[in-house]
Amino acid sequence: MAVQAEPATAVPVARRRRRGQLGWVGGIAVTFAALAALYLVMAPLLALLSTAFRGPSDLLPFEPGAHWTVDNLLEVYLGTNLLSTVLPSTAIFVLGSVVVTFFTAFTLAWLVERTDLPWRTTIFTVILFPLLVPGIVMAFAWTLLFAPNAGWVNVALRALLGLEGNGPIDIFSMAGLILCQGIASVPFVFLLLGAAMRTMNPSLEEASSASGARPITTFFRVTLPVLRPGVLAPLILAILVALEQFEMPLIIGFPARINVFSTRLYFDLNPEDELPAYGKAAAVALLFLVAAIALLLVYNHLIRRAERFVTVTGKGYRPTRYALGRWRVPALAFVGFYLLVAALLPAVVLVWTSFAGGSNDVGLDAYRTLLADNRFWPAVRNTFVVAGLSAGLITLIGALLAWQILRLRFPGRAALDVVSFLSIGIPAVITGFAVMILHLTIPIGIYGTVWILVLAYSYRLAVSTRLSRAALIQIHPELEEASIASGGRWLDTIGRVVLPLLAPSLMASFLLLFIVGFREFTIPMILQSQDNWVLSVIMWKLQSDRQTAQAAAVGTMILLFVAPVIFVLRRQLLSRQGDA
Amino acid sequence: MLTVRGLTKSYATADGSFQALKGIDFEIPAGGFYTLLGESGCGKSTTLRCVAGLEEPDGGSISIGGEVVTDTARGLHAPAFERDIGLVFQSYAIWPHMDVFANVAYPLKVARPRLGAPEIKARVLEALRLVGMEDFAGRQATKLSGGQQQRVAFARALVRRPKLLLLDEPLSNLDAKLREQMRFELQELIRRTGVTTLYVTHDQSEALAMSDTVAVMSAGRIVQSGAPREVYGQPDNRTVAHFLGSANFLRGRVIEAGDGLATVVLAEGAVEIRVPSRVALSAGAAVDVIFRPEDVTTHLDPAGGAIECSVERVVFQGGMSEYQLRLGSTLLRTVVHPSVSAQPGDRAWIAIRPERCILFAAG
Ligand SMILES: Nc1ncnc2c1ncn2[C@@H]1O[C@H](COP(=O)(O)OP(=O)(O)OP(=O)(O)O)[C@@H](O)[C@H]1O
Ligand SMILES: [Mg+2]
């Protein structure tokens, strides 16, 4: 570089006007992520909102003839059983199942993380197993086990107790629905609670023992209060998850004539011999959207507090384990009973039914029919394409979004932050509906294809922004600045420094989102067409057409696929835990 | 080489804005070693980051090697990656996912136009040799000690042969012994490469030992700059005197002044001393006499000194002891050879070397 002759009156060599560190590549990438977030999360919600206030109800919101009105709201809230029946049964269903989930998950997490329970690693793996299995498969398996007439368990109990007729257990009841949903949500909550217990600073408990407190006193006076933020946040999350559940209410609740919010919305959209009532459905959705977002705000407040209440010391301390002593056998019995009901029996009944459910001979008939069915292979492909693409897309967008929210200062940043976590609070059934309206109103030519599923699944942005955000907070900004000061442009800094450092959490985010996408049932049900069936939907179709053996064969193949994935997942989780 | 003019910078805070820099001017000649010294929060890092281009100042201009990189009046601001600099952070910022070689090679790999692999390799090894780390090229960055990370950070900053080296408290994360050693190594390294250096520290002994020029900063301004001896020996004001080494303050009154010398009678101890005076003072003016611990001798018998004190505390520090002496309402610090042993409550007599005293009009 030519040194100027008169350094005192330096000549401007800075060639262009002022530019930021982003450059145009960075500018485009960051803008793209922000717009994508708005499109994936906000656009469907706005479409939904306007639908609730447009009538008449059977028209799309901006079809000719539609106008602004509050008729939908009046009609739905005053003229139907929404407030008198659906709301109370939704509340009972949600609260009941959350109580079951929490009691079970807390006990399991406690036993696995904080006691000397034998075979902990194996138990950990088997508990996680149902996490990967679509809820619809679990629901189906449980009906095979507990249906009042031909359910395996009922048949066995009747033989054992010498009873006649149906029963004694009736899964098609509110109690059955609550228990099934409660057990189905256990693995997820177990993971969150386990993490909170694992990262607890042991010196807090040791200080209590050193002060002369007995273990039971320490548990109630120190352990529980310290864990409170780490327990309350999963509690709210479990409520949100229960609220959006659709599989159990459809398979178990519907035969029992129990209507909760998700099934009500679905049947409003798919009425028998009528046109779908978009406006009324949107009005129903509105109530639950408001409730969910209120819960989300509480949740967000709690995890911000939990972050401040961090119990991790990062020093590799390991909480001490309690000796179970004479409680060992009851504890093992509890775990064993849970695993039997939640994982082993469902797996066995599915596999058996797939071989023997169709006729009286045991054989591969169901598989032959299934593999010859020309809907099957496209459904396999769709399942993987949609889960994989949406997971990849939002892992990337979420990372960019988290990066810009943490590292850049720009107007609207706070609003973007809200958008980035909003999706935790939006029930999937509402998303499916909202995306449907958006694409019927503004057709971009993907309605009824797998691409609309990719877009709809991708609303779960928050999973990825949350994980990336947590990881980015750990990355000192000076690591990025060192790259810029070394002459690295935005793309160099992101590609060579930020992304490699984020790699473990990007992997985790992809894996998690892939599993969520693989399990997804609600969204593909609502947005289904003949061209975009996925495995879970196919299974439901077979099941409701009474093709029990074939449905079980689909379930079995899903289990076969999931089994190896669980070991990848377990390695990830255990390596974080640093425990063999 | 580096010229900084009228640099100002404010940060938005919860309650309005906070002006971190209130007009910074300085210049470093080619090959110079310039140190910004000041207490925490005075704006040293902000200044350095503005020079690096990591922060954009609100006002002022910066030119590096005759190239204007920032001029707010003309709306010019070149981002950091276009500036010809090497930067070492306090945290070293060694990338944990790369080995030593890749860390040092990074500035060359992202350079445009691209460099060939053999050239990159040669220059990286040269830089590693410069810092004595050539045997560690394949070592994972996370498996380095603090001092080794430090050296890698230097190699990375120097590998581009920048015009300007920027160092933000590079030694403050090291333990005391290593810090001393690295100080000499660093000085030697910079001397050999001849790179112009802007150094930021809050450690006055580093600043005094290493720099050509020391600038003392306080609350967003440079309050005094000059050669280390000059700034240490003739502080312009109390802030500087206090910040550079510990200083003793004694109240006094001028009896007679002239010829750059003043006769002052001390308020406590009632003795007269003749001390150099840089400002014109008239008889009767109240003044502060300032002197450093090493400019006082302490004796345990009245023959050695004229001012009588009582020993308040003795702090044994190995090679020497620090005495805290009470003179009326004032506490004085002096340094004494450790063989002298006094107990708190003993009496002591001190003698001040008058030619080392500095006078300020009492504030
Ligand atoms: N991003 C920022 N936002 C708000 N205030 C800031 C920011 N960066 C620095 N400041 C404030 O500007 C002032 C100067 O900061 P600076 O980092 O330059 O101090 P420093 O002299 O380097 O101190 P230290 O020795 O502690 O590193 C401080 O009061 C600091 O709180
Ligand atoms: Mg600093």
Side-chain angles (χ1 to χ4, degrees):
Chain A
M1 206 164 311
V3 176
Q4 298 297 315
E6 319 123 309
T9 56
V11 180
V13 193
R15 287 131 302 221
R16 280 146 287 172
R17 310 283 299 176
R18 57 177 285 260
R19 274 150 306 127
Q21 315 281 23
L22 281 174
W24 62 270
V25 183
I28 289 175
V30 157
T31 314
F32 164 75
L35 292 179
L38 290 178
Y39 183 72
L40 292 173
V41 179
M42 291 315 287
L45 281 190
L46 287 179
L48 178 84
L49 267 183
S50 49
T51 307
F53 294 95
R54 298 283 287 185
S57 183
D58 52 355
L59 290 188
L60 285 164
F62 298 103
E63 243 176 304
H67 53 88
W68 294 105
T69 172
V70 289
D71 285 354
N72 296 325
L73 295 172
L74 292 178
E75 210 170 311
V76 163
Y77 289 97
L78 302 178
T80 71
N81 66 351
L82 181 72
L83 296 181
S84 59
T85 313
V86 178
L87 191 61
S89 39
T90 307
I92 294 171
F93 164 65
V94 167
L95 294 180
S97 65
V98 166
V99 168
V100 172
T101 304
F102 242 70
F103 171 76
T104 318
F106 191 93
T107 312
L108 289 173
W110 180 259
L111 289 172
V112 169
E113 299 294 344
R114 300 301 311 275
T115 70
D116 62 350
L117 189 76
W119 310 306
R120 289 190 299 267
T121 319
T122 314
I123 290 172
F124 182 84
T125 315
V126 185
I127 290 177
L128 285 190
F129 184 65
L131 184 66
L132 307 187
V133 181
I136 190 81
V137 178
M138 297 303 294
F140 175 49
W142 280 323
T143 59
L144 293 175
L145 287 171
F146 297 105
N149 50 357
W152 278 20
V153 174
N154 278 323
V155 172
L157 282 177
R158 285 200 296 264
L160 218 61
L161 304 173
L163 297 174
E164 298 280 319
N166 283 346
I169 301 173
D170 185 4
I171 190 179
F172 300 118
S173 61
M174 185 51 110
L177 179 59
I178 285 177
L179 279 173
C180 287
Q181 185 58 55
I183 292 175
S185 298
V186 162
F188 169 65
V189 176
F190 165 82
L191 264 185
L192 296 176
L193 291 180
M197 289 179 189
R198 201 180 306 136
T199 52
M200 190 177 152
N201 184 347
S203 55
L204 299 174
E205 287 174 340
E206 285 159 7
S208 168
S209 327
S211 315
R214 284 174 307 127
I216 189 81
T217 317
T218 302
F219 180 80
F220 282 106
R221 312 222 21 183
V222 175
T223 313
L224 277 189
V226 167
L227 280 177
R228 206 179 56 191
V231 167
L232 282 182
L235 181 67
I236 307 278
L237 212 51
I239 295 178
L240 281 169
V241 168
L243 184 62
E244 73 169 345
Q245 284 310 312
F246 176 54
E247 293 89 332
M248 305 289 161
L250 183 68
I251 302 264
I252 297 166
F254 180 62
R257 307 201 167 280
I258 299 168
N259 238 337
V260 298
F261 139 71
S262 56
T263 39
R264 162 69 186 264
L265 192 61
Y266 178 76
F267 290 119
D268 274 358
L269 282 177
N270 298 282
E272 284 171 34
D273 347 298
E274 266 179 69
L275 284 174
Y278 300 112
K280 285 189 207 155
V284 172
L286 213 54
L287 173 67
F288 293 94
L289 188 63
V290 169
I293 287 180
L295 280 171
L296 175 70
L297 294 179
V298 177
Y299 169 74
N300 207 47
H301 174 74
L302 282 172
I303 58 165
R304 292 268 144 95
R305 260 211 0 223
E307 273 167 12
R308 260 187 282 139
F309 216 88
V310 199
T311 47
V312 204
T313 56
K315 290 267 164 66
Y317 289 125
R318 206 123 286 293
T320 42
R321 290 186 182 275
Y322 290 82
L324 280 173
R326 63 202 164 85
W327 288 99
R328 197 176 161 104
V329 173
L332 274 178
F334 174 80
V335 174
F337 182 71
Y338 166 78
L339 292 181
L340 200 67
V341 174
L344 302 179
L345 280 182
V348 170
V349 81
L350 274 182
V351 175
W352 178 256
T353 308
S354 74
F355 290 123
S359 55
N360 288 328
D361 334 308
V362 177
L364 291 169
D365 280 359
Y367 290 90
R368 269 187 219 111
T369 327
L370 188 63
L371 296 183
D373 187 336
N374 58 10
R375 295 175 303 179
F376 178 72
W377 287 111
V380 172
R381 196 196 56 213
N382 290 346
T383 306
F384 283 89
V385 165
V386 175
L389 276 184
S390 67
L393 186 70
I394 35 183
T395 296
L396 196 70
I397 292 178
L400 275 173
L401 215 53
W403 183 83
Q404 72 194 85
I405 288 169
L406 278 180
R407 297 285 202 259
L408 301 182
R409 263 164 275 165
F410 56 94
R413 189 177 63 142
L416 198 58
D417 196 14
V418 172
V419 173
S420 81
F421 71 76
L422 195 60
S423 68
I424 299 176
I426 309 175
V429 54
I430 287 184
T431 301
F433 175 34
V435 168
M436 169 182 178
I437 300 219
L438 178 69
H439 285 264
L440 287 175
T441 305
I442 309 173
I444 55 171
I446 60 171
Y447 195 82
T449 67
V450 291
W451 309 114
I452 196 170
L453 295 186
V454 173
L455 287 186
Y457 283 27
S458 297
Y459 93 103
R460 292 190 196 273
L461 208 56
V463 174
S464 147
T465 41
R466 286 237 165 254
L467 283 169
S468 294
R469 183 198 185 93
L472 273 171
I473 289 174
Q474 308 289 318
I475 298 176
H476 201 299
E478 285 186 355
L479 290 174
E480 293 170 35
E481 289 173 354
S483 160
I484 302 170
S486 298
R489 274 139 239 272
W490 185 81
L491 211 54
D492 297 316
T493 305
I494 292 294
R496 291 169 188 254
V497 176
V498 179
L499 288 184
L501 288 174
L502 276 184
S505 69
L506 294 182
M507 270 301 298
S509 158
F510 180 84
L511 192 63
L512 203 60
L513 286 164
F514 183 83
I515 292 167
V516 171
F518 180 79
R519 302 186 50 190
E520 194 66 71
F521 172 68
T522 319
I523 293 177
M525 267 297 270
I526 293 181
L527 293 173
Q528 64 176 298
S529 76
Q530 287 172 3
D531 297 325
N532 67 7
W533 280 322
V534 295
L535 278 177
S536 54
V537 174
I538 288 276
M539 193 184 115
W540 175 80
K541 284 201 172 307
L542 291 168
Q543 187 257 358
S544 54
D545 292 349
R546 307 241 169 268
Q547 305 287 344
T548 313
Q550 283 183 47
V554 175
T556 304
M557 287 200 266
I558 289 176
L559 295 189
L560 278 182
F561 165 72
V562 155
V565 176
I566 187 82
F567 287 96
V568 179
L569 183 69
R570 193 188 72 162
R571 248 220 339 263
Q572 276 252 337
L573 291 165
L574 287 181
S575 72
R576 297 189 153 201
Q577 170 180 9
D579 189 287
Chain B
M1 226 317 292
L2 173 69
T3 312
V4 174
R5 290 280 168 255
L7 210 58
T8 56
K9 170 84 189 167
S10 297
Y11 286 111
T13 55
D15 46 354
S17 84
F18 170 80
Q19 192 164 16
L21 300 181
K22 298 174 181 159
I24 301 282
D25 289 274
F26 67 92
E27 241 167 80
I28 314 179
F33 191 122
Y34 191 94
T35 299
L36 292 173
L37 174 69
E39 80 270 344
S40 186
C42 69
K44 308 178 296 283
S45 298
T46 307
T47 309
L48 183 123
R49 290 168 60 82
C50 285
V51 172
L54 293 171
E55 300 284 352
E56 193 177 337
D58 303 331
S61 67
I62 300 168
S63 67
I64 298 172
E67 184 178 357
V68 176
V69 288
T70 295
D71 187 348
T72 52
R74 279 180 292 173
L76 290 174
H77 176 76
F81 57 78
E82 287 183 357
R83 303 188 178 197
D84 196 2
I85 54 169
L87 176 54
V88 176
F89 292 91
Q90 184 174 353
S91 67
Y92 315 140
I94 296 298
W95 297 302
H97 60 295
M98 301 182 191
D99 63 11
V100 167
F101 185 94
N103 261 282
V104 177
Y106 186 90
L108 302 178
K109 284 206 179 124
V110 298
R112 301 288 180 274
R114 286 174 190 282
L115 296 172
E119 179 173 7
I120 291 182
K121 182 160 187 207
R123 283 178 61 177
V124 170
L125 291 179
E126 182 196 320
L128 285 175
R129 206 170 308 121
L130 197 66
V131 297
M133 291 286 291
E134 63 270 40
D135 295 337
F136 292 83
R139 182 76 70 92
Q140 202 53 41
T142 44
K143 303 211 168 82
L144 294 175
S145 71
Q148 290 167 337
Q149 287 191 33
Q150 171 72 273
R151 293 193 180 96
V152 174
F154 276 114
R156 185 176 68 191
L158 290 171
V159 74
R160 275 206 289 173
R161 299 185 193 133
K163 283 204 201 109
L164 180 64
L165 181 62
L166 304 170
L167 308 171
D168 191 354
E169 313 216 13
L171 303 181
S172 62
N173 271 350
L174 301 175
D175 61 62
K177 194 143 192 185
L178 192 57
R179 191 180 322 170
E180 197 117 317
Q181 181 199 335
M182 284 304 293
R183 182 194 295 173
F184 294 121
E185 264 186 45
L186 174 57
Q187 227 175 340
E188 175 59 20
L189 189 69
I190 287 170
R191 198 190 55 73
R192 257 190 294 163
T193 52
V195 62
T196 310
T197 304
L198 174 60
Y199 189 90
V200 161
T201 181
H202 64 258
D203 182 323
Q204 42 121 351
S205 60
E206 265 171 36
L208 295 174
M210 300 169 78
S211 336
D212 303 333
T213 309
V214 178
V216 180
M217 279 188 75
S218 172
R221 288 205 170 82
I222 292 181
V223 287
Q224 187 178 0
S225 68
R229 272 173 200 284
E230 191 182 308
V231 179
Y232 185 81
Q234 284 147 30
D236 280 347
N237 57 44
R238 252 166 273 260
T239 321
V240 178
H242 241 318
F243 197 74
L244 275 184
S246 44
N248 294 306
F249 287 72
L250 281 179
R251 269 292 151 86
R253 199 165 36 77
V254 177
I255 297 179
E256 182 206 329
D259 282 349
L261 281 178
T263 308
V264 175
V265 60
L266 296 178
E268 319 263 12
V271 291
E272 283 181 16
I273 50 174
R274 269 178 81 73
V275 298
S277 148
R278 278 187 289 167
V279 281
L281 292 164
S282 53
V287 287
D288 281 335
V289 179
I290 295 181
F291 53 94
R292 301 203 181 273
E294 65 272 20
D295 297 329
V296 189
T297 53
T298 309
H299 311 272
L300 297 183
D301 60 279
I307 307 174
E308 184 181 340
C309 316
S310 67
V311 176
E312 183 105 350
R313 183 175 291 150
V314 176
V315 187
F316 177 61
Q317 294 184 340
M320 54 132 183
S321 295
E322 183 190 292
Y323 277 40
Q324 292 179 11
L325 305 173
R326 177 161 293 284
L327 174 59
S329 61
T330 324
L331 262 192
L332 301 175
R333 287 156 185 267
T334 68
V335 289
V336 176
H337 194 269
S339 62
V340 179
S341 67
Q343 299 298 318
D346 287 357
R347 292 202 293 166
W349 288 265
I350 58 170
I352 305 172
R353 291 170 64 183
E355 74 280 9
R356 305 277 298 172
C357 291
I358 307 145
L359 277 192
F360 289 130

